[in-house]
Amino acid sequence: MRGVFTVAKIAVSCAYYGFDSEYSYSVPQDLKPYISDGIRVVVPFGKGNKKTIGFVIRTYESAEYNGALKPVESVVDERSLVTPEMMKIIFWLKENTFCTYFDAYKTVVPTGFSYRIDLHYNLVNTYIDESELSDEERGVIAFMRTSSSQREVDKFLSLTGNEKRKKALDRLIDRGYIELSDTLKRRVGDENIKMVELSRDYLDGNITATLTPKQSLIVKLLDEVGCASEKEVRYMTNCTGDIIKRLENKNVLHSFKTEHFRDALGESENSYMPELIELSDEQQTVYDGISELIDSNNPCGALLYGVTGSGKTLVYIKLIDKVLKSGKTAILLVPEISLTPQLLSRFKSYFGMTIAVLHSSLSLGQRTDEFKRILNGSARIVIGTRSAVFAPLRNIGVIIMDEEGEQTYKSDSSPRYHTRDVAIQRCGHNNCILLLASATPSLECFYYAKSNRFHLFEMKKRYSDAKLPDVKIVDMQKQAASGNDGLLSFELIQAIKDRLSKGEQSILLLNRRGFTTTVSCLSCSTAISCPNCSIPLTYHKKNDHLMCHYCGYTMKFDGHCPVCHGDKLQMSGVGTQRVEDEVVRLFPDAGVLRMDADTTSSRYSYEEKFSAFEKGEYDIMLGTQMIAKGLDFPNVTLVGVISLDKSLFTGDYKSYERTFSLLTQVVGRSGRGDKPGEAYIQTFVPDHYVLELASKQDYDGFYEQEIALRQALMYPPFCDMCVIGLSSQMESRCIAASDWVTKTLSEYIKNNKVSFPLRAIGPAPCAIEMINNRYRYRLILKTRNCKEFREMIKDMLYKFYKNRDLSNVRIFADINGDIGL
C-alpha cells in the first residue's frame, strides 16, 4: 500500500507496570480528525483482542504501512480532558513515581469521567440448525431464548471461569448465530435541565392557537423573560408539566436541554473587596516581596514562615487578587478537608463564583462539574486538597500550599507523588511562583530556605497585635500521685470551668478515636486483635463494637475473650469517646462537640459542625488532629492537649517533627481574637525537649536541634529515602520476594557500576507486620533521587512483574514516603 499513514502511540488501561508501554495502533482515515494527544479511544488489546480503553500519548505519520498494527476502533471523548501541560505532568508521574501511564491519567482526570465497556450478547434473527450444535451450544441458545432480560443474558455469558461454555459461545459467534456488541458507559453522566422558550413559528405569527388561561400565563412569562427552565416556569405560573407538554405539541413552545453544573460552592456572593484589606506593616512587607517575585515571571519557590494567627490568609487573598487582575489564575491547597469549608467561605466573600473547589468530600458529579468549570475557564481560582494540584488551569500566576509540612500532601497509593513536587513542576511550566506557608514548616523546606533554594519570608507577630497563648506543661505523674486518676488534670478542669463561666470556648485534642485502644484478657494474657491485621482492636462504646482502624473489621463486643472465652477483660488506652464521656460527666451543662472520623463521615459534616461551633452552639470541641490546624474561632481562649506522648515514640525519624507541629498548631487555635489565650499540655514526659520547645512556640530552636540530628544520622534533607514495599498472603513468599529484590539490586549495582551513593536498611518486616491478611516487608534505601537511581528501580520493577514466581506478591517503590508503618 502507498501513501502516508497515521500511527498513534497509546497507553492502555489494563496494562500493569511490567507491560505498561506505548503501544502502536493505526488510525483509520475516518477517525483521524478526532484523534489528538490525551484523547481516550477504544482499541483491541492482547491475544484475544479484548476491547480496551486507552489514551493517545502521541501520533506521527509513517510512509511505511505496517499491516500488523491493529486499528483504533472508536473515539471516546469529544475533546481531550488533558491539557498539554497535564500531559507533561503525566509523563513526569510515570518517570518519578513508578506508576503506569493510566494510573497517572486517572490521577489527573476525575473518576467521574471514567468509562467502562459493557459487552452484550444477542441472538441473530436467522434460522439455527440445532442438529449440528453440541449439547453445550444448544444450552446457550435455549438460555438466551428463555431469559427475561438482556442483563441476565450478559451475566450468564460473561462468566470467564466456565471454559467449556466460553468455547461454545465462541463457536456460536463464529457461525453467526450470536452477535457480540459493546457500549461505553460513563461513571457519572452530565446533568441536564429542560429549558423552554416560545417557538420561532409562534413568534413569527405562523402559529395561531387557542390558549387556556394557564397556557396564556406561560406564554406571557416566556414573552417577558425569553427562556426559562421547565421547573422555573411551573413554579412561576403554578402549572403542571402536562400543560407545558400540550403547548409543545401545538408548536407554541420549543424545548431543549442544557447542561447544568452540580453546585459544590453553595450560595456565593461577593460581599467584600480585596482592595479594602488593610495589611499590617509585617504583612505588607511580605506581600511586597512576594509580589516582586510574581512580577518577575520566573519560576521560583518561596517559604512564608508565620506564627499561628499572623494573618497569612489575608496575604493569600491579596496575592490571588493581584494575579487575577493580571489575567492569570491561582491554586490554593490545604492539607485537610476539614479546613476547606471555613477557608472557602472566606474566599467566596471576596471572589464569588470565580472559585472552584476540589476535594474528596464532593460527590462524583460535583467533582466532575467543577473540573469542567476549570477546564472551560469559568473558574479562575481553585481551592482544594492534594488532588487540586492537578486542576487544569491555564496561565497560573501563583500556587499556594497552606500548612505545607503536613503529611497528607503525600499520596500513599499509586502514583505516590508529593504535592509539593507536582506544584514545582507546574510552576516551571507556567513561569509562576510556588508559595509554601506554615507556622511549622517541614524541616526540608526550612533547610532549603536557609540554603537560599527558596526565598524566605517571615511573620513573627500575630495579626492586630494579638498575643500568643500562655502555655503550661502538666506532669500527669504528679497528678496521679496527688490522687487524680481521671483523664483531665486539676488545672485543665479549673481552666475549662473558668471559660464556661465567661461564655468562652475550649478545644481539647486527643489524636486517637474510639473509647479504649486495647482490650486484654487477664486469663490468657492476650489482647483482642484484628484477625486480618497485627494490631489490637479499638473499642467503640457508642455502638458497642470492636473495630480495626486499618482494614475496617468490626465485631460485636460481648464481654468475653474470643480465644479462651474468659470474661476477665481489662481495657486500656484512651480514645476520644472516653474523653467525651468524662467531659460530659464533669461539665453536664456544657455543649460538647466531638470531631473525629466517626462523627464526620457524612458529606457536609465538617461544614455543619464547625459552623455550629463558631455560632456558639457548643462550648467545648473535642477531636483528633482534624481540629488542630488552620481553623479560626475568635471565642476560643483555651486549648487542652490530653496526651500526645505516644506520637513521640513511633520509631519514625519524623515523629519529633510531627509531634512538635501538631502541638504548636493546636496551641495556636487559642487566643486568636481580642481575648488572651491559654493552653495546657498534659504529659508523662514533661522534661522532653520537644514538648518544652513546642510550649514556647520556638520553631527555630526545634529546627536547630532536629536538623543537626538529621545530618548526623543521614536523613532527609541530607539524602532521599526510597521504600521498596512488598506484601503477600504468605509470609514465606514475602521473604523470598524481599531476598529476590535485594539480590537483583545488588547485581544491577555490580553490573552497571553505579556512581550514586546508596545505603540499604533491611529487608525487614514493617512496624505493623500484617494488614488486611497480607504480610508486609520493606527495604529502605538511603540515596540521591537522580535519573540513574530511578533507572535502577524501574529495571528491578520490570523484572519483578515479569517473574511468574513472584506473581502472588505485590510490590511498590516510594521515594520520600512515610516509613512509620
Side-chain angles (χ1 to χ4, degrees), residues 87-106:
M87 281 295 291
K88 295 176 183 177
I89 295 296
I90 287 174
F91 295 140
W92 182 88
L93 288 170
K94 165 75 174 170
E95 164 67 21
N96 289 271
T97 69
F98 314 111
C99 69
T100 65
Y101 280 117
F102 225 85
D103 278 344
Y105 181 93
K106 289 186 295 184

Side-chain angles (χ1 to χ4, degrees), residues 19 204 429 554:
F19 294 91
D204 292 342
H429 297 316
T554 63

